[in-house]
Amino acid sequence: VAIMVFVGLAAASVYYATQLRFNHNLEAFFPEGDPELAFFSRYREKLGEGDNFLLIGLQNRPSVFDTAFLSRLKALEDTLSGLQDVKNTRSIVSAKRVIKTPFGYDRFPYIHPREVSRLPQDSAQLYQADWLRHRLLSQNGRATLLLVETRDVDREEGAKAFIQAVRDLIEQHGFTDVRLAGRLVTQV
């Protein structure tokens, strides 16, 4: 009898475990009427969501400093920028450095993807930029990050559709060694 009760409870717990759903809305963690919720809401209005980012890690061997790879990265970033749910994108091909000139401050690209002769100098400049090194570029130069800031995609179906569209674009641009991370990925 004890074994049958145990098997019944185990079967019921397996069923209910499959019914678990995650709520990714941070407001749901506050009790109704909690004054901290009002503070959190004001903070979020002022500073934004803060978790609406998709991180796309792309690897290339022997290095990301390859004109074909960088051209595909630029094309992928441009295509992703045109998606309805994308606010902004950042990568090594779109990063710019600010330089003071006699006419004021001007922005120049760190990397010139189509100019093979400039790649050694460009890669050295990227590694010297503290804010880029280890954020958008791996230490060994074999991986880079494409950061995608998204609009609020709350529904699970919307997140699934967006992530699938991103995966399709990544494949269309010829990338195979890819990692995705971010809130939208966990919702899928």
Side-chain angles (χ1 to χ4, degrees), residues 18-148:
T18 62
Q19 302 305 310
L20 280 177
R21 298 288 177 249
F22 291 96
N23 186 349
H24 297 277
N25 184 357
L26 291 177
E27 285 90 354
F29 291 101
F30 293 97
E32 278 189 44
D34 188 340
E36 295 297 320
L37 176 58
F39 172 78
F40 179 76
S41 297
R42 285 192 310 273
Y43 169 83
R44 188 170 255 183
E45 276 181 33
K46 193 180 272 187
L47 299 176
E49 292 287 326
D51 62 349
N52 285 344
F53 289 94
L54 176 63
L55 306 160
I56 305 173
L58 304 161
Q59 290 190 334
N60 193 55
R61 298 217 190 279
S63 164
V64 298
F65 298 107
D66 170 73
T67 55
F69 177 85
L70 292 171
S71 293
R72 288 192 336 242
L73 176 59
K74 174 83 171 109
L76 174 62
E77 184 175 3
D78 290 347
T79 305
L80 288 171
S81 294
L83 294 180
Q84 177 182 347
D85 291 322
V86 172
K87 280 185 183 179
N88 193 9
T89 59
R90 290 180 198 95
S91 77
I92 59 173
V93 293
S94 62
K96 302 218 185 304
R97 57 194 164 125
V98 178
I99 296 177
K100 186 176 181 181
T101 68
F103 304 106
Y105 291 95
D106 209 348
R107 297 166 46 106
F108 296 93
Y110 274 97
I111 198 154
H112 302 82
R114 294 191 175 103
E115 297 178 41
V116 178
S117 63
R118 293 187 72 164
L119 286 179
Q121 178 187 355
D122 288 349
S123 64
Q125 287 177 355
L126 276 170
Y127 278 110
Q128 290 172 0
D130 288 337
W131 72 276
L132 286 173
R133 190 179 60 241
H134 308 302
R135 288 188 180 97
L136 295 180
L137 187 62
S138 68
Q139 187 171 352
N140 64 10
R142 293 183 185 148
T144 187
L145 182 71
L146 172 54
L147 180 65
V148 181

